[in-house]
Amino acid sequence: MRKVLTGNQAVAYGAMLSDVQVVAAYPITPQTTIIEELADMQAEGLADLDYIRVESEHSAMAACIGASMGGVRTFTATCGQGLFLMHEMLHYATGARTPVVLANVNRAIAAPWSIWSDQTDSVSQRETGWIQLYCEGNQEVLDTTIMAFKIAESLRLPAMVILDAFFLSHTSEPIEIPDIEAVRDFLPPYDPGDLWLDPDNPRTFGSLCMPDTYMEFRWQIQRDMERAKQVIDEVQDDFGRVFGRNYRQVEGYRSDDADVVMVVSGTVASTGRDAIDFLRARGEGVGMVKIKTLRPFPRQELVAALRGKKKVAVIDRNFSPGATGVWAQEIRSALYELPEDERPIIYGYIAGLGGRDISIKTIEEIYQKTREADQPDDVDIWIGVNYV
Amino acid sequence: MYSLNQRFNNQDIPEDEFMASGNSACAGCAASLSMGLALKGLGKPTVLVIPACCFTIIPGAWPLTALDVPVFQAAFETTGSTLSGIKAAYRKRGMDDVCVVGWAGDGGTFDIGIQALSATAERNDDVVYVCYDNEAYMNTGIQRSGGTPMGAWTTTTPVKDPKSEPKKDIDEIMIAHRIPYLATATAAYPHDMIAKFKKARSIKGTRFIHLLSACPTGWRVPENLSIEVMRLAVLSNIFPLFEVENAEIFRQTVIPDEVIPVERYLRLQGRFRHLTDEAVKEYQKMVDDRFERLRKRFEITE
C-alpha cells in the first residue's frame, strides 16, 4: 500500500507494524506527531499497545527499560533536550541489555532555543552503547524502524532511529507501507529468552558489581557492538530480499572513480545526490559516501570506500566544541590506519547547525573549497557563518 | 493497647521467608527487617524495583542475593516510572496478578524520585511504592535529605548548623494524589505492618506505604535499640501509624496507651544531642500541632 506520510508518521507506522507492545513517551517539538499518531493508532484499535503517558523523557526511557525487563517490545521517541534528559537512562538501557528502540528527531541544542535540525543531540550519545541509524528519507525511516527492532533484539542492545527535524519529520513523501503479515514474518514477536523479570525464576538484575566483575559486563557490550556490524548487514540484506529495498551502512554515490569524495549523513545525502550530478555534469571528479551508522562505526567499509582518494570532505551538521565535527573525528581516526600514500586529505566542514539550510549551493561551495586548497585551512571549516 | 515494651505473639506472622539472613546490612538495621516482613505480607508473585539506596548493597553483590523474588536494580530517580513500565509489560503478557513493588529510601522518594513517583500516582498505575525512610542519605554516608527531621545532625548539616526545616510531609503529598491506599508502618509493630502490606496487595491502583526505618549508624543509637527508638517515634506521635483510603477514610491503626514526650525519642539519639531544652519544647509543639491536624481527620471518619 502506498501512502503520503511525513517522517514522523513513517516512524509511527514502523512501530505499529512492528507490533510494539509498550510505548512510554513525553511530547517535545518536533517529535510530537510521532506520539500523537501512536495514540490515535491505539485508540482506533490499529495498534495493540500499552501507552504510558510519562511526565518526562527521563521517565519515558526508565519506563521503557522497565517494560523491556518485563519481557515485551518497547518504543519511545524524542529529540534534542529530551534526548539530553534521557542521557543517564540511555546508558542504563545498554547496561541492562534492554533492546529498546527510540526514534530521535535531530533537533538543535539550547541555549539559545532552536527547534530545527542539528545532529548534536544524537552524536552526543555516542558513548551510550546505542546503535545509531541515520535516515535520508521517509521510506528509509519506516523501513529502518522495523529493522531497528530486529537488530536491537538479536543483540540485546538498544537502537536509535534518527531523522532530521522538519526536513523529514514534517515533510510528506509518498512511501510504500509493507504488509503487516510480511513484517510479522520478518520480525517475529520479541523473545527475551530467560533475561526478564520472571516471577517463577527469581533473579536480580543490575546488582552491585565489584571491580573483579564489572569490566566483563562492559566487555560483553563491546563484543556485541562489534558483532552488530555483521547483524546490521544481515538484517538489511534480509529486508532487501523480502521488501525489495536495500540499505547499507556505507553507501557510495558516483564515488568509485571520484578524486574528491563528500561524506554525508541524514537528509544531506539526498541534496548531495543532486549536487554531485550537477558537479559531474560540469566535469568535476566528485562523488559522495553516505553513512547510516555512527555506532557501531563502519570503519572497514569506510576505509574500503575512501582508500586512495585524493581528498575527503566531511559535512558535519553537529559540532563538538574544542574539537571538530563528530563524523570528521570518526573518519580521521578510521582512515589513519591506511598507509600514507593511500590516505586522503580530510577536510572537515561544519554546516547547517540549528536548521540552517544545506543547499546544493552549500555543497558546491564545500566542494570548491576542497578542490582549491591543497590542505585544509583549519581542522574544521565553518560554512556560511557571519563571524561577528 | 500499644506500649513500649509489649511483646508480640509470633504465631500470627507468616512463616514464609523471602529475605535471607545472610546479607550485608549494618547491625541493627531496620530496613532489612522491614523487607522480610513486607514480603511476608505481600507474598508471591511479587517483583521488586530497588533504586540506588541502602538496598542496592544489602542483598549482596553480584552474583549473590539475599532476596527470593525477582529484582530490578533501577536508577536512583526512576522507581515510579520503572514500576509503571514493568506493570505495563505484565499486563501485555497477561500476568496482571504479579504485584509490582518499589522499595526506595527517603532520598529516592522525597527528593530525586518524587517527580516519577508523582506521575505514577497521578496515573494511578497499579503498583505498590514503599518508602523505607531512614531520614537521610544513609548509603552515601548520612547526608541530609528532604526526609531528615528538623534539628538533626547529618554529615551535611553539622552540629553547628543542623537542619532548620521540618521534615517534608510526604504522606500529605501522596494523599493529595488521592491514591486508593496510603499507610504508615514500622517493623517495630510487625502485625500492623504485615496487615497493611496484605491489604495493599488486595487493592488496585497506586498504593504507597511509608515505613519509618531506624538506622543506628546514622541516628547515632546503639544497634540493640532500633526497635525501641521506632516505638518511641510512634508512641510520641512523631511517626503515627495510620492508613488512608482514597484520601477520604483516615484510620489510626496503632493508638498509644500513653503518649510519650518527644524528649524521650530525641534524647535517645546522638543526632539530636545538641538540641537545647528550649528546642525540645518547640519540637514537642511542632509534633503536637501536626498530630492534632491528623487527629481531626481520624475523628471525622470514625
Side-chain angles (χ1 to χ4, degrees):
Chain A
M1 182 176 50
R2 272 183 97 70
K3 266 197 171 194
V4 176
L5 295 183
T6 64
N8 278 356
Q9 286 175 309
V11 170
Y13 270 80
M16 180 268 278
L17 292 168
S18 302
D19 285 327
V20 65
Q21 292 163 289
V22 172
V23 170
Y26 184 77
I28 177 169
T29 303
Q31 154 266 33
T32 41
T33 49
I34 298 173
I35 66 167
E36 291 167 3
E37 186 80 30
L38 282 167
D40 282 343
M41 285 172 171
Q42 183 205 28
E44 300 291 335
L46 291 169
D48 179 23
L49 56 88
D50 202 293
Y51 197 130
I52 311 174
R53 281 110 179 144
V54 287
E55 87 301 337
S56 71
E57 290 89 355
H58 196 280
S59 282
M61 188 47 61
C64 282
I65 293 168
S68 191
M69 287 306 303
V72 301
R73 183 169 289 158
T74 60
F75 176 80
T76 188
T78 190
C79 58
Q81 305 302 120
L83 193 66
F84 289 111
L85 183 59
M86 270 184 195
H87 178 75
E88 179 198 16
M89 301 318 294
L90 295 179
H91 275 289
Y92 221 95
T94 304
R97 303 307 297 261
T98 47
V100 178
V101 170
L102 174 155
N104 184 64
V105 182
N106 273 142
R107 167 180 160 172
I109 180 172
W113 284 114
S114 166
I115 57 171
W116 292 279
S117 196
D118 187 317
Q119 295 174 335
T120 305
D121 56 356
S122 56
V123 299
S124 298
Q125 315 308 324
R126 246 191 328 183
E127 273 71 75
T128 58
W130 278 65
I131 291 161
Q132 291 200 8
L133 306 163
Y134 288 78
C135 297
E136 178 186 343
N138 292 352
Q139 185 73 60
E140 185 172 1
V141 167
L142 189 150
D143 295 346
T144 301
T145 305
I146 295 167
M147 289 189 286
F149 284 105
K150 188 154 177 154
I151 294 164
E153 289 168 10
S154 62
L155 292 158
R156 288 195 70 97
L157 284 171
M160 204 180 284
V161 179
I162 298 158
L163 58 153
D164 287 338
F166 300 106
F167 299 124
L168 290 186
S169 69
H170 287 66
T171 303
S172 297
E173 287 187 285
I175 64 173
E176 185 66 34
I177 299 180
D179 174 57
I180 194 162
E181 291 306 327
V183 176
R184 282 173 182 157
D185 284 345
F186 173 77
L187 176 71
Y190 175 47
D191 174 11
D194 62 353
L195 289 175
W196 67 291
L197 293 164
D198 180 356
D200 295 329
N201 184 13
R203 286 178 304 166
T204 295
F205 294 90
S207 307
L208 176 74
C209 276
M210 305 304 277
D212 61 342
T213 56
Y214 178 85
M215 216 163 151
E216 283 69 19
F217 285 102
R218 293 284 124 184
W219 170 77
Q220 288 176 3
I221 292 167
Q222 169 63 1
R223 176 197 64 196
D224 294 340
M225 203 41 124
E226 283 298 319
R227 204 156 66 79
K229 294 174 182 176
Q230 192 191 332
V231 169
I232 293 168
D233 277 345
E234 286 166 7
V235 169
Q236 290 185 144
D237 289 348
D238 278 357
F239 191 91
R241 270 192 294 276
V242 178
F243 300 102
R245 290 184 293 278
N246 295 290
Y247 300 100
R248 307 250 46 91
Q249 296 180 60
V250 171
E251 182 190 320
Y253 181 72
R254 303 183 81 167
S255 57
D256 286 350
D257 61 342
D259 296 327
V260 176
V261 175
M262 325 274 277
V263 181
V264 298
S265 56
T267 51
V268 181
S270 78
T271 315
R273 288 173 212 277
D274 285 347
I276 299 298
D277 289 348
F278 170 77
L279 291 166
R280 280 276 179 162
R282 238 170 51 186
E284 308 287 349
V286 63
M288 182 184 88
V289 162
K290 165 192 162 186
I291 316 184
K292 186 172 173 68
T293 44
L294 177 62
R295 283 292 179 273
F297 193 71
R299 194 183 183 90
Q300 283 175 330
E301 291 87 337
L302 258 171
V303 168
L306 300 176
R307 176 191 290 267
K309 301 296 178 197
K310 287 203 182 81
K311 294 175 178 178
V312 166
V314 184
I315 304 180
D316 268 296
R317 182 173 249 154
N318 68 76
F319 178 57
S320 173
T324 66
V326 164
W327 295 102
Q329 290 175 29
E330 297 283 346
I331 290 161
R332 281 196 179 97
S333 159
L335 298 192
Y336 193 74
E337 69 184 48
L338 285 170
E340 213 168 326
D341 58 337
E342 290 187 291
R343 195 189 301 152
I345 306 168
I346 296 168
Y347 297 69
Y349 296 95
I350 308 296
L353 301 186
R356 192 169 293 190
D357 200 18
I358 298 180
S359 64
I360 292 177
K361 212 162 166 256
T362 317
I363 295 172
E364 186 190 358
E365 181 188 344
I366 288 169
Y367 170 71
Q368 294 291 2
K369 278 185 189 290
T370 310
R371 199 192 61 174
E372 283 161 18
D374 291 335
Q375 288 290 329
D377 300 340
D378 207 338
V379 285
D380 58 288
I381 304 155
W382 289 58
I383 296 297
V385 175
N386 299 314
Y387 293 98
V388 285
Chain B
M1 212 168 87
Y2 286 94
S3 62
L4 188 59
N5 297 314
Q6 84 190 90
R7 304 187 75 81
F8 289 104
N9 188 346
N10 279 349
Q11 274 170 359
D12 307 332
I13 307 266
E15 281 182 17
D16 302 324
E17 294 287 354
F18 304 117
M19 168 99 184
S21 54
N23 62 60
S24 53
C26 301
C29 171
S32 55
L33 178 64
S34 300
M35 176 65 93
L37 293 172
L39 291 174
K40 282 171 184 285
L42 290 165
K44 283 186 171 182
T46 289
V47 168
L48 285 175
V49 172
I50 302 177
C53 61
C54 292
F55 250 90
T56 313
I57 309 299
I58 291 172
W62 188 86
L64 300 174
T65 179
L67 288 163
D68 190 28
V69 293
V71 177
F72 185 64
Q73 297 270 6
F76 207 170
E77 64 278 54
T78 65
T79 310
S81 37
T82 306
L83 290 171
S84 299
I86 294 172
K87 188 67 197 183
Y90 285 160
R91 217 161 28 228
K92 293 308 286 177
R93 296 179 72 112
M95 296 167 55
D96 219 14
D97 61 319
V98 180
C99 193
V100 184
V101 181
W103 185 269
D106 47 292
T109 304
F110 291 57
D111 293 349
I112 199 168
I114 198 167
Q115 177 176 321
L117 166 61
S118 172
T120 296
E122 183 266 331
R123 292 188 301 266
N124 198 24
D125 285 341
D126 187 25
V127 302
V128 176
Y129 189 111
V130 183
C131 172
Y132 69 101
D133 179 5
N134 50 31
E135 303 197 312
Y137 290 90
M138 294 309 185
N139 196 38
T140 44
I142 325 170
Q143 292 83 22
R144 171 209 195 273
S145 80
T148 301
M150 190 172 83
W153 159 88
T154 67
T155 54
T156 52
T157 49
V159 167
K160 284 186 176 166
D161 186 18
K163 194 188 180 207
S164 52
E165 308 81 13
K167 182 183 180 79
K168 189 189 281 188
D169 199 334
I170 194 74
D171 303 326
E172 293 294 351
I173 291 169
M174 295 314 295
I175 290 164
H177 287 73
R178 307 195 70 78
I179 50 175
Y181 188 68
L182 174 139
T184 61
T186 159
Y189 291 106
H191 291 79
D192 176 73
M193 178 174 159
I194 289 172
K196 285 167 174 167
F197 275 89
K198 276 188 177 163
K199 186 167 182 175
R201 172 137 206 158
S202 73
I203 294 170
K204 286 264 171 203
T206 303
R207 294 140 282 170
F208 183 83
I209 298 182
H210 181 191
L211 302 177
L212 183 69
S213 183
C215 171
T217 314
W219 292 11
R220 297 295 195 247
V221 290
E223 54 266 21
N224 62 332
L225 294 184
S226 288
I227 300 297
E228 183 166 330
V229 76
M230 291 194 291
R231 286 190 178 175
L232 283 169
V234 174
L235 300 176
S236 65
N237 287 335
I238 278 193
F239 195 83
L241 300 186
F242 59 95
E243 58 184 9
V244 183
E245 291 172 32
N246 300 310
E248 281 166 8
I249 302 168
F250 287 67
R251 192 181 301 116
Q252 189 177 14
T253 57
V254 169
I255 299 167
D257 288 348
E258 176 195 3
V259 175
I260 292 174
V262 295
E263 185 168 14
R264 259 187 89 182
Y265 173 76
L266 298 173
R267 291 299 185 211
L268 195 61
Q269 303 172 59
R271 62 174 173 159
F272 295 116
R273 187 182 294 138
H274 50 277
L275 292 188
T276 61
D277 288 345
E278 196 182 343
V280 170
K281 260 185 215 158
E282 278 175 37
Y283 220 103
Q284 181 71 55
K285 189 176 177 321
M286 181 180 75
V287 170
D288 290 346
D289 287 351
R290 175 175 184 253
F291 185 73
E292 186 56 23
R293 288 196 297 276
L294 265 174
R295 195 182 57 82
K296 280 179 186 156
R297 289 195 278 182
F298 295 148
E299 280 181 350
I300 288 165
T301 54
E302 262 160 19

